[in-house]
Amino acid sequence: MSLIEALNWRYATKKMNGTAVPQDKVDQIISAAHLAPTSSGLQPFRIFVITDPELKEKIKSVAYGQQQITDASHVLVFAAWDGYTEDRVRGVFSHTNAERGVPDSATEAYLNGLLGKFSEMTPEDHFHHAAKQAYIGFGVAIAEAALLKVDATPMEGFEAAKVDELLGLKDLGLRSTTILPLGYRDDAEDWLVNLKKVRTPLQDFVTELN
């Protein structure tokens, strides 16, 4: 199945049937997000994989009662860094340099320029920038799930501060951005499953400048 075919197959599943997603497929979805591109390769987000029924119930209670969270096999919470500290950024570059077998001096000029840019930004700007990177990984995870024929429901509808509290994210320097329940659609109970996928007409979506 091509990616286009997979994206035509997928939809924001409204009712899942409770069937467990095989762990190897969950691992592939997470690996896809892990390999997603990010600005300067910083990967300023983390993924929390939740299977505990009690914790899923608590998350549902601060996510406007969205049933997919408790019906899902696995719930992925994407959480972005709350700021670009020098230690965090240097840590990423040092790890990359070590893996590539190059000295830190090879990237020092670029790193200092990047730190200079971050120093001009507010803490909230830092979070918004990091959240954008998390969204890239989030989108890649959704695409990989579709290729594996695993249903997923992208969610922004939740009280982020309360999810942060439930997962202890503040102490980790993280803030929740999105939630992705994974499971399998309930064909008999999902009102959306048989409705036509509709998007903006392509001619209105794309502008070609030649």
Side-chain angles (χ1 to χ4, degrees):
M1 180 165 56
S2 73
L3 180 57
I4 294 297
E5 289 171 329
L7 293 176
N8 273 304
W9 171 85
R10 72 152 302 277
Y11 71 109
T13 309
K14 302 304 180 187
K15 177 65 176 172
M16 295 183 179
N17 64 17
T19 301
V21 178
Q23 188 59 48
D24 65 317
K25 291 191 175 184
V26 176
D27 292 343
Q28 282 183 252
I29 292 165
I30 293 167
S31 292
H34 184 236
L35 290 168
T38 56
S39 179
S40 296
L42 290 174
Q43 292 185 285
F45 67 94
R46 298 294 180 262
I47 299 173
F48 292 76
V49 184
I50 299 160
T51 56
D52 178 67
E54 184 178 345
L55 183 52
K56 288 195 287 185
E57 193 67 50
K58 289 178 179 178
I59 293 172
K60 184 178 80 170
S61 73
V62 296
Y64 310 106
Q66 294 181 83
Q67 190 67 34
Q68 303 96 313
I69 292 172
T70 48
D71 288 342
S73 167
H74 297 70
V75 175
L76 309 187
V77 176
F78 287 69
W81 288 359
D82 60 7
Y84 288 110
T85 66
E86 182 167 349
D87 283 348
R88 285 176 176 174
V89 176
R90 283 193 178 278
V92 172
F93 273 74
S94 291
H95 171 70
T96 300
N97 291 338
E99 287 292 308
R100 291 174 173 171
V102 300
D104 284 342
S105 58
T107 56
E108 190 68 17
Y110 181 90
L111 173 59
N112 286 334
L114 189 61
L115 291 171
K117 291 291 184 184
F118 287 143
S119 71
E120 298 169 358
M121 298 163 63
T122 67
E124 197 63 19
D125 287 338
H126 281 200
F127 170 69
H128 286 308
H129 185 277
K132 289 178 181 178
Q133 313 315 308
Y135 269 87
I136 298 171
F138 185 62
V140 171
I142 292 166
E144 182 67 14
L147 283 166
L148 296 172
K149 285 213 164 182
V150 172
D151 285 298
T153 308
M155 291 183 177
E156 290 182 306
F158 60 93
E159 298 177 75
K162 292 182 179 179
V163 170
D164 294 355
E165 185 177 353
L166 284 170
L167 301 182
L169 298 186
K170 184 176 181 180
D171 291 340
L172 299 174
L174 298 166
R175 291 168 60 182
S176 55
T177 59
T178 49
I179 295 176
L180 189 66
L182 301 175
Y184 294 103
R185 64 189 67 178
D186 186 331
D187 290 299
E189 298 294 331
D190 193 334
W191 61 268
L192 188 55
V193 65
N194 292 317
L195 294 183
K196 180 181 179 181
K197 183 184 287 288
V198 178
R199 295 291 186 268
T200 301
L202 196 60
Q203 65 268 23
D204 298 328
F205 185 70
V206 176
T207 300
E208 295 188 12
L209 305 174
N210 299 315

